[in-house]
Amino acid sequence: MAPLESVARIDRVPSASRIDRLDRQREVRLRASVAPGFAMADRLAALRAAVGAMNLPAAYTTRVSGRGRELERTFGEFVWAFALSIVFMYMILASQFENLVHPCTILLSIPLCVPFALLSIWLMGNTLNLYSALGILVLFGVVKKNAILQIDHMNNLRAGGMDRASAILQGNRDRLRPILMTTLTFVAGMLPLAVGSGPGAEERRVIAVVVIGGQTLSLLLTLLATPVVYSLLDDLALAFGRRKGFAIRSLFWWNGRR
């Protein structure tokens, strides 16, 4: 036996007390929470900027996990979900109304509710996160019901022989009460989520705030915008139909001359 100091030199240096590995590579995980008044998306951007300022060697890589990764993936999928929902809603509305113009009037209420949904998030001190994005997607499926009630009744009145201007005025008067009833009932049904407490109440509250604020604040705007857009698109469809009819008649006249 020989003492260790005769064959080696012992130095005390700091070292990791624990080594974690992922895919046979060393990893170090940092866990943090978002402080009040900040959003997770801008904190992730600040974190990436801080990592970029470190000028780490090429062998070092960073990766976001947990709720941050779910946020980025959800927002990417949210764009596809929004686009597909618009396409499917247009197809269903076009088949139900048997018209290609009226679905555009109905779907116009969807972008009108987005600013009010974001405003309600800001007024309540919340941030745009996974649950608020889910609330906006839920709002898309609800907010267009007012325009459906209006346009369907206006089309029925016009089919009964009423002119367009009178049908628009009469249709909005007749459908005002059902629209208010359905809106107030829906808002009242979401109030327990908005004022509830307990485990998971924060996430449920954000969804309720988005739906209640977007539905309530956009109510007056959609009631005013839908009849106006209905008349404008109807004029555009009539003008396009007359131009198409004129082109067909001109083609027949030219073929007759030949």
Side-chain angles (χ1 to χ4, degrees):
M1 298 178 63
L4 183 61
E5 59 183 7
S6 63
V7 295
R9 188 182 64 188
I10 301 176
D11 295 328
R12 294 182 178 270
V13 295
S15 178
S17 61
R18 171 181 171 181
I19 298 177
D20 296 326
R21 297 180 182 273
L22 179 65
D23 296 334
R24 301 178 65 182
Q25 294 182 349
R26 288 190 178 186
E27 68 167 3
V28 176
R29 296 192 178 189
L30 299 178
R31 296 176 176 86
S33 300
V34 180
F38 295 92
M40 183 177 292
D42 63 277
R43 293 302 89 195
L44 290 177
L47 183 61
R48 287 194 173 93
V51 173
M54 293 180 179
N55 295 322
L56 297 176
Y60 286 80
T61 60
T62 59
R63 183 186 306 171
V64 178
S65 61
R67 295 181 61 182
R69 182 181 62 183
E70 294 298 325
L71 175 67
E72 295 178 342
R73 188 177 66 179
T74 301
F75 275 113
E77 295 175 352
F78 176 76
V79 176
W80 284 104
F82 172 71
L84 291 177
S85 64
I86 295 295
V87 172
F88 291 151
M89 285 188 291
Y90 180 84
M91 294 171 59
I92 294 174
L93 292 172
S95 63
Q96 293 295 322
F97 283 96
E98 298 181 356
N99 190 285
L100 299 178
V101 178
H102 296 324
C104 298
T105 308
I106 296 173
L107 295 178
L108 181 68
S109 59
I110 292 179
L112 293 179
C113 72
V114 174
F116 295 106
L118 299 178
L119 179 62
S120 63
I121 294 175
W122 178 74
L123 290 177
M124 297 303 295
N126 296 317
T127 59
L128 188 61
N129 50 35
L130 298 176
Y131 302 99
S132 56
L134 179 60
I136 294 176
L137 190 60
V138 172
L139 187 62
F140 288 164
V142 176
V143 75
K144 65 182 184 300
K145 65 177 179 58
N146 299 340
I148 294 176
L149 292 174
Q150 291 173 275
I151 293 177
D152 182 65
H153 190 49
M154 287 187 287
N155 288 339
N156 292 333
L157 293 176
R158 294 182 66 182
M162 189 177 293
D163 61 283
R164 187 183 68 186
S166 301
I168 290 176
L169 295 177
Q170 185 65 34
N172 281 274
R173 282 195 294 265
D174 295 342
R175 288 294 179 258
L176 178 60
R177 186 169 179 268
I179 288 174
L180 293 178
M181 290 174 60
T182 55
T183 301
L184 294 177
T185 303
F186 183 75
V187 170
M190 297 296 293
L191 284 178
L193 294 179
V195 300
S197 60
E202 291 293 334
E203 290 78 8
R204 297 193 299 267
R205 187 177 298 115
V206 172
I207 298 176
V209 165
V210 171
V211 176
I212 292 175
Q215 177 73 6
T216 305
L217 297 177
S218 64
L219 175 62
L220 180 61
L221 186 58
T222 54
L223 289 176
L224 297 176
T226 300
V228 175
V229 176
Y230 177 83
S231 60
L232 293 177
L233 292 182
D234 191 64
D235 290 336
L236 183 63
L238 291 176
F240 180 77
R242 286 195 295 267
R243 181 176 298 179
K244 184 177 180 180
F246 176 76
I248 293 176
R249 287 195 300 270
S250 300
L251 180 62
F252 283 138
W253 176 78
W254 178 256
N255 290 333
R257 289 191 58 185
R258 294 180 60 184

